[in-house]
Amino acid sequence: MLPPRLHSRRRNPDESIRQTDGDASQARLSAVRKRYLNDPFIALLVPQPHLLPSRPPLINIGTYIRSEAIDELVVSWLQHNAASGSKVQIVSLGAGSDTRFWRLATGLLGGDLSRSIARYLELDFAENTSTKIRAIQVNKELNSVLGEAQISGASLVSDVYAIRDMDLRNSRHVLQDILIKSDEQPLGLLDTSLPTLVLCECVLCYMTQEQSDSLLKWFSDTFDQPAVIIYEMYGLNDSFGRVMKDNLRSRNVTLPGVDAYPTLDDQTRRYTNNGFPSAHALSLKTIRSQYIDPKELNRISRIEMLDELEELELVLHHYFVSWAFKNATDILRPWVLSRKVSTDSD
Ligand SMILES: C[S@@+](CC[C@H](N)C(=O)[O-])C[C@H]1O[C@@H](n2cnc3c(N)ncnc32)[C@H](O)[C@@H]1O
């Protein structure tokens, strides 16, 4: 969730997009410090964490809800595949300073579920992958989890974890040539026969609809058992959305992909248009009111004073989490139903 900034130099739009990772990681750091979330790794990936101020309660709560919801979906998907004994792959698009790999690998998420992960691949622009690789090199808490790692340019490859620089707006042929293991490409990073979960956390909105659709379709066409989770903003054609877009524009950030799918129904159509038979989408507002354990809601409500519940709900109403599974469409329904605690709807 991006705050307004009043003054901003004109700069390369891609630089402004890369810098949105700073907003995401600083929001996470703030939510961790206030004990909404438990994540010992984020402070290692944020430069000069001690100098960063806390974010407002509304941002901390939003960060908590999206993080918990996505973690829950990832763990459910891992559990489903662990039950069948299959090795799996996770690909995080625009991963930035994301810490999920370390939280999985050290058992903070889902016990020993990470043993089934054959490859955890993160993709981002070279400037961001280089920064992350430097942080990994200097922090034992991060590099000791990887084992031996080969670093070349802005990429790193270890036994399971890999990070690779790439502009995701590139064509499917580039993805095919760079990522897929084959007889011609024995060093390719991904095996198309393994169940593969693609995480798109606040990244597709920075591309055009054609570019993000092409990515989804490529994963759907290329992998035998693809699964996708998307988190980002939506429904920005109201006054709240216009203010958000203006604030971003003042920082030289535009959201070329955000208006293509303005409702939650459109967000599920986004998958069905691109090769997935069905999909689910929930706003963060609905996830907070219906799917977060009431004990947890009670715990986080005691962390900080929230002035305006209405304002929180307005913000949460403009972010969603969606997911789709090509060959196992019902996996996550039990999660959704079992966590449901009230009947309010969006
Ligand atoms: C808002 S940050 C989100 C970071 C992380 N996924 C998270 O949720 O905390 C967006 C990230 O997507 C990356 N990104 C955006 N467009 C991209 C593109 N075309 N190719 C590669 N990375 C991109 C940015 O560099 C940035 O790291």
Side-chain angles (χ1 to χ4, degrees):
M1 291 183 195
L2 296 164
R5 257 181 221 169
L6 296 178
H7 304 290
S8 154
R9 283 184 291 120
R10 279 269 145 208
R11 54 181 179 235
N12 173 345
D14 284 357
E15 186 189 336
S16 306
I17 292 174
R18 290 193 299 270
Q19 289 180 353
T20 61
D21 179 49
D23 296 294
S25 57
Q26 288 170 30
R28 186 166 182 85
L29 180 71
S30 170
V32 167
R33 282 195 174 139
K34 294 275 179 189
R35 300 187 191 278
Y36 286 87
L37 296 168
N38 177 19
D39 180 351
F41 303 106
I42 188 66
L44 307 172
L45 290 164
V46 175
Q48 302 192 295
H50 55 287
L51 297 181
L52 296 171
S54 291
R55 308 299 308 278
L58 191 147
I59 304 276
N60 291 331
I61 294 170
T63 303
Y64 164 84
I65 295 168
R66 75 121 141 176
S67 176
E68 288 292 285
I70 297 171
D71 283 350
E72 188 77 40
L73 290 166
V74 171
V75 167
S76 298
W77 179 82
L78 283 170
Q79 280 167 340
H80 170 83
N81 287 294
S84 66
S86 171
K87 284 274 181 188
V88 300
Q89 304 176 128
I90 296 180
V91 184
S92 176
L93 307 185
S97 307
D98 189 61
T99 59
R100 194 167 282 105
F101 169 75
W102 285 272
R103 290 183 290 120
L104 278 166
T106 57
L108 266 184
L109 276 186
D112 63 358
L113 277 176
S114 69
R115 277 209 239 137
S116 65
I117 303 177
R119 172 65 70 208
Y120 193 111
L121 172 63
E122 296 186 343
L123 303 171
D124 208 305
F125 287 118
E127 291 79 356
N128 286 15
T129 60
S130 303
T131 305
K132 192 163 190 176
I133 289 170
R134 274 195 298 280
I136 293 170
Q137 285 177 299
V138 300
N139 281 295
K140 202 162 183 322
E141 294 94 322
L142 298 175
N143 61 48
S144 60
V145 177
L146 307 186
E148 209 170 304
Q150 314 294 324
I151 296 172
S152 139
S155 299
L156 174 155
V157 181
S158 70
D159 187 25
V160 172
Y161 177 79
I163 178 166
R164 168 96 223 208
D165 59 301
M166 175 179 286
D167 182 341
L168 293 161
R169 297 166 298 192
N170 280 331
S171 76
R172 323 159 39 107
H173 305 294
V174 178
L175 289 164
Q176 184 78 34
D177 291 348
I178 294 180
L179 296 182
I180 300 301
K181 207 185 288 265
S182 65
D183 290 344
E184 299 78 51
Q185 181 84 347
L187 296 180
L189 293 168
L190 296 172
D191 177 342
T192 56
S193 71
L194 296 183
T196 299
L197 174 62
V198 185
L199 299 175
C200 313
E201 275 191 77
C202 216
V203 59
L204 300 183
C205 54
Y206 301 113
M207 302 171 203
T208 63
Q209 176 187 3
E210 290 70 31
Q211 289 161 342
S212 69
D213 280 357
S214 161
L215 268 176
L216 287 183
K217 182 106 178 50
W218 181 76
F219 279 103
S220 152
D221 288 347
T222 307
F223 290 83
D224 295 346
Q225 298 174 68
V228 177
I229 297 173
I230 300 176
Y231 159 80
E232 60 192 26
M233 49 297 245
Y234 78 112
L236 300 191
N237 40 15
D238 59 7
S239 54
F240 173 93
R242 281 189 287 279
V243 171
M244 184 197 270
K245 285 190 206 161
D246 285 347
N247 284 335
L248 288 170
R249 236 189 317 272
S250 74
R251 301 171 53 185
N252 209 19
V253 176
T254 56
L255 303 173
V258 90
D259 290 330
Y261 298 106
T263 68
L264 293 178
D265 280 347
D266 294 325
Q267 289 297 340
T268 60
R269 256 194 297 283
R270 177 180 209 169
Y271 291 99
T272 50
N273 288 348
N274 288 299
F276 291 85
S278 69
H280 306 269
L282 293 171
S283 74
L284 289 203
K285 181 182 166 206
T286 299
I287 294 175
R288 177 182 174 277
S289 67
Q290 300 188 31
Y291 299 105
I292 301 278
D293 186 331
K295 281 199 213 107
E296 269 296 276
L297 275 188
N298 187 27
R299 179 184 73 79
I300 65 162
S301 72
R302 283 185 277 115
I303 297 179
E304 305 178 273
M305 187 74 174
L306 180 70
D307 294 333
E308 279 281 350
L309 184 60
E310 253 175 55
E311 194 189 350
L312 174 70
E313 293 195 329
L314 179 67
V315 175
L316 298 183
H317 183 61
H318 286 86
Y319 288 83
F320 71 92
V321 175
S322 68
W323 61 99
F325 299 87
K326 194 164 180 184
N327 295 340
T329 48
D330 280 343
I331 295 178
L332 293 179
R333 270 202 203 134
W335 170 71
V336 168
L337 295 178
S338 71
R339 300 289 294 247
K340 190 164 169 138
V341 296
S342 86
T343 52
D344 293 348
S345 62
D346 261 16

